[in-house]
Every structure is written in structure tokens, then in C-alpha cells.
Amino acid sequence: MFQKIKDNILYAGMNDKDRVIFDELIPLDNGTSYNSYIVIGSEKTAVIDTMYPKFTKEYLKSFDENGITKVDYIIANHGEQDHSGSIPALLEKFPSAVVVTNAVCAKNIQEMLLVPAEKIKIISNNEELSLGDKTLKFMISPGVHWPDTMFTYIKEDNVICTCDFLGAHYIFDDVFAVPSKDLEKSAKKYFAEIMMPFSTVCRKYVQQIRDLKVDMVLPSHGPVHKNPDYILDLYADWAGEKGKNLVLLPYVSMYHSTEEMIDYLAKKLEEKGIPSVKYDMVEGNLGDLAMALVDGTTIVLGTSMVLAGPHPAAFNTVYLASVLRPKAKIASFIGSYGWGGDLFGKMADMLTPLKLDVIEPILVKGKAKAEDYVKIDNMAQTIYEKHKALGLL
Ligand code: FEO
């Protein structure tokens, strides 16, 4: 059944509890939901965001089951198919409906979903659309996380539909958020994987929504926030410019020589009051790494040499870090080799766009010896001094 959000605003989304990976990349701990909202005005009815194509049939059936017999507008806040995928089917069910969106999203849904141009009404920033006693105001908000994204503000009810922004991969029975560690973790992983590369614009939109003083935030994944400050405060922290006093230690180690050095560094850092997170790049959950990247100020990556270069898992992690654009300021590498090659050069090149302060890497043949442990002591001391200089200690 649709759930009531406010008078004549309904939740028409669905839980995907069996989904275990998103974008074929990120493991999901709590499935996800695809949220769709129905706004019934005195004259017109609008659907805000639709449904992931896998659930189209069930989604359309739910309109009949809940007595929604008329749709005048389909608002597309974003062209990605987990929200816009059911637009063509919804247009078939309600042939007189018009899709309302911004120019960038209009192009996307024409090309990706073959929605005919004549079925689309293009709106501009801050344009309003009357449904009678309710008014939709469109706030074009590119970059969270595609160039086509926008928010839809329902003026009389003072609630805002933010699509992916402020969302979480999370399922629920009651649509209203109950703050919990689990929800916060899901929202943080989601932020890390989807929004972190756009932290600067996230900060801008957090402030914009705060200034509106909305009563509710209605995202298109995860629960509805009756207390907008809960999710806005979390986003303000995660999207902030300054990391925490935390070192990330992603590692891959074929014969434990690298792992022993990483463990030794973690111990030395702990003695200096610097917590660290060790992450197994082969067995670990990519979401955990992404989440740690939200907070870490320093990354020291440990890798074995494989065929004269870094282990492929290390490349994968460095690539992910380079595209997620975390707030880390400092980096280094620790590694062990058997017969030679270039362990760090290409990885350092990949991190160049992040403009990190790179501490001299430590490269060891086989097992670390006494002089190598002295180098790790020195690395821990350097990290300590740099964290202190950044005001983290
Ligand atoms: Fe949830 Fe960008 O789609």
C-alpha cells in the first residue's frame, strides 16, 4: 500500500531487499529502496520520480490498488534508470501525462529511455508548476550526482524531494526514518560512493536546504526524514573539507611481509594517538573502504609486487580513491618484492590529481629488517607531525 507522507502526498516506492550490489560495484548491506512520490493537487496529480525497471509491473499495479486513476505530470528529478526507468511504461498507462524536467535530464531520458520530445515539458530553475492547491517548484541542482539532477520543492507542504541527494541504500517498512547506527552507516557508505566526488556542491545544497527550513526531506533511496537536520548534519560533516585524525591502511600481502609492516605501522601510530583502519584489498568490502575514505586524512597503501608491478587489487584501490576524490591530504606506500620491478611509480601517478603530500615510500626485498622498521618508525613520526600541523592532534 502507498504510505501517507502528508495530506495528498503519498509514498509509492518499493524495497529491493534482495539487491546485494549497486552499479555492479558497491556491495549493499541493507538492500535499497526506489522511492516514488505522488502529489495530488486539487486540479492535477504529479508523480515525482518513478521506479527501477525490474519493478515496473508491480509499481504500475500499485496505482490501481491505491485508486490512482489519473496522472497529469511525471516529474523526472534525474535521468538515471533506477528513478526514470519506468517513465515509458507510466506514459503508456497514463497517455495524457507530460514528463516535466530540466533540459539536461530531458536529453538523457530521450536518449536512454526513448521518451519522445513532444511528451516532455522543459522547465527552468525556480520555475513553478501549479497542481491547484499545491505548487511544485523546481530547483535545478546539477552535480548530485549527475549533471541532470534537480530537486522538487512542494511549496504549500514545505517538503523537498531531493532524488539521490541525502539518500541511503536502505529498506524499511515505515517510510519515516528512525535514526540508528545502521541507517547512518548505510547513508555514509552511499555518500562515499555516490556523493563524495561532489563534496563541494553537496555543501552548497546542504546550506540551500537548511535555508529553506523544510519540514521533511524526501529522497529517492532510503527513508523520509521528518527531522531534516539529522541527515543535513551528517552530510555537512561528511562533505566537510577537513578529515579526521585517522590513517587508512589498505593492503594486499602474498607472503605476509607487507602485512607485517602495515601492522607495525598501525602499532606505532596507535602509540602516538593516531587511530588507523586496516583494509584487506582482496577480501574486504569495497563499501567499507569507501566509507573510511570519507574520514581519513592519510592513506598508506601496502602491496606486494606481482610480475614487476603492484598487485592488481592495489591498482583497483588507487583508482577508486582517485575517482572518489576523498579529503585525504597525505599518502605513502609500503611494499615488498621478490625480484624487482616498479612497485609505486604508476600508483603515485594515478593519485597526482588529488594533490597529496606524499611521504617517502618504503620498499623492502622480502621480509623487513631492523633498518626497515626504523624507516617505518620515521614514517609514523612524519605522519604524527603532519597531523599535528593540520590541527588533528
Ligand atoms: Fe539513484 Fe543516480 O540514481
Side-chain angles (χ1 to χ4, degrees), residues 39 80 156 222 254 279 303 314 359:
V39 185
E80 199 164 10
E156 292 77 4
M254 292 161 65
Y279 172 77
T303 178
I359 299 171

Side-chain angles (χ1 to χ4, degrees), residues 16 18 23-24 122 134 157 179-180 185 203 217 229 241 254 269 298 336 364 385:
D16 190 349
D18 298 324
D23 290 342
E24 301 306 314
I122 293 177
K134 290 186 190 292
D157 295 279
S180 69
K185 190 175 165 195
R203 292 197 293 274
V217 167
D229 283 341
E241 287 178 87
M254 292 161 65
L269 290 168
T298 298
S336 169
V364 170
E385 285 164 12

Side-chain angles (χ1 to χ4, degrees), residues 28 80 207 267 286 337 364 384:
L28 300 180
E80 199 164 10
Q207 193 54 51
K267 187 167 141 250
L286 215 50
Y337 69 99
V364 170
Y384 171 80

Side-chain angles (χ1 to χ4, degrees), residues 22 78 80 82-83 145-146 163-164 169 190 194 220-221:
F22 207 86
H78 172 30
E80 199 164 10
D82 50 333
H83 309 294
H145 61 130
W146 278 24
C163 200
D164 281 329
H169 288 311
Y190 175 98
I194 298 170
S220 287
H221 297 286

